[in-house]
Amino acid sequence: MPRIIGAFFPLFLMATATAEKPSRFARKYELENRTLELAMSVRQFVRKLPRYMHMSEDVVQLLRASGALGAAYIEVNEANGRKAALGHIRSCIREAKETHFWLRVLEVGTSERLVAEKQKLTDEAFALLRIFCAILGKVGTRKTSEQPAESSSK
């Protein structure tokens, strides 16, 4: 039985419910694909908006933020150190907050279809925000041997 990860996740990317956990490699790219899917879904949503809204500042900011979210997560995967990765996770959090904000600000009119799609995108952006905050909380508080020990004698 497939486990649905998000409303916009294509069938071929859904994880199957098995007794074993997905590999670290699979989990790493699952989130990358999820951010990509959000950016693509936002672009499809914008194409459905009335023509006069396409170049509004809200739409432009939404497109930039949703794309930057995925790009920032790619940078996390490519980071050379823990400190750099944490900085990029913070960028992901900022971009997810911005995407969520611009989706909430955007007025789509009275079309029930557009309102429902906007709500799904807003929920997905918020879910990604929560995931990145959890990652930062988990990894950001972990102590490593890379940190120099404090010396009490001077």
Side-chain angles (χ1 to χ4, degrees):
M1 175 101 186
R3 178 176 55 98
I4 297 177
I5 297 167
F8 310 104
F9 226 65
L11 289 175
F12 67 89
L13 294 176
M14 287 185 186
T16 57
T18 61
E20 63 186 64
K21 287 174 122 179
S23 70
R24 184 174 180 195
F25 178 81
R27 282 180 281 158
K28 175 180 173 180
Y29 290 102
E30 180 180 308
L31 194 52
E32 188 173 311
N33 287 331
R34 195 166 166 179
T35 59
L36 172 67
E37 188 64 31
L38 176 67
M40 290 170 36
S41 296
V42 166
R43 278 147 181 77
Q44 290 172 356
F45 171 71
V46 167
R47 285 188 205 109
K48 296 174 187 174
L49 294 175
R51 284 279 180 216
Y52 66 89
M53 293 183 70
H54 281 207
M55 291 309 293
S56 76
E57 190 62 29
D58 294 350
V59 172
V60 171
Q61 291 287 2
L62 171 61
L63 291 171
R64 286 182 183 160
S66 67
L69 174 59
Y73 188 70
I74 290 171
E75 292 295 322
V76 170
N77 288 336
E78 300 297 321
N80 290 329
R82 182 175 175 270
K83 191 173 183 179
L86 288 174
H88 292 300
I89 286 288
R90 286 184 185 97
S91 294
C92 289
I93 290 170
R94 271 192 305 274
E95 298 301 338
K97 282 181 181 178
E98 194 172 332
T99 301
H100 184 253
F101 173 79
W102 289 115
L103 280 164
R104 288 175 49 210
V105 166
L106 192 65
E107 287 292 326
V108 294
T110 58
S111 169
E112 289 181 21
R113 183 177 51 89
L114 289 177
V115 170
E117 190 170 350
K118 176 186 153 184
Q119 186 59 48
K120 286 180 184 177
L121 291 170
T122 304
D123 292 345
E124 180 67 8
F126 187 70
L128 286 170
L129 173 62
R130 292 181 64 201
I131 290 169
F132 289 126
C133 286
I135 291 170
L136 183 64
K138 198 177 226 183
V139 177
T141 58
R142 188 181 302 158
K143 296 187 185 219
T144 64
S145 59
E146 296 173 341
Q147 297 174 343
E150 293 285 329
S151 173
S152 59
S153 62
K154 289 186 178 184

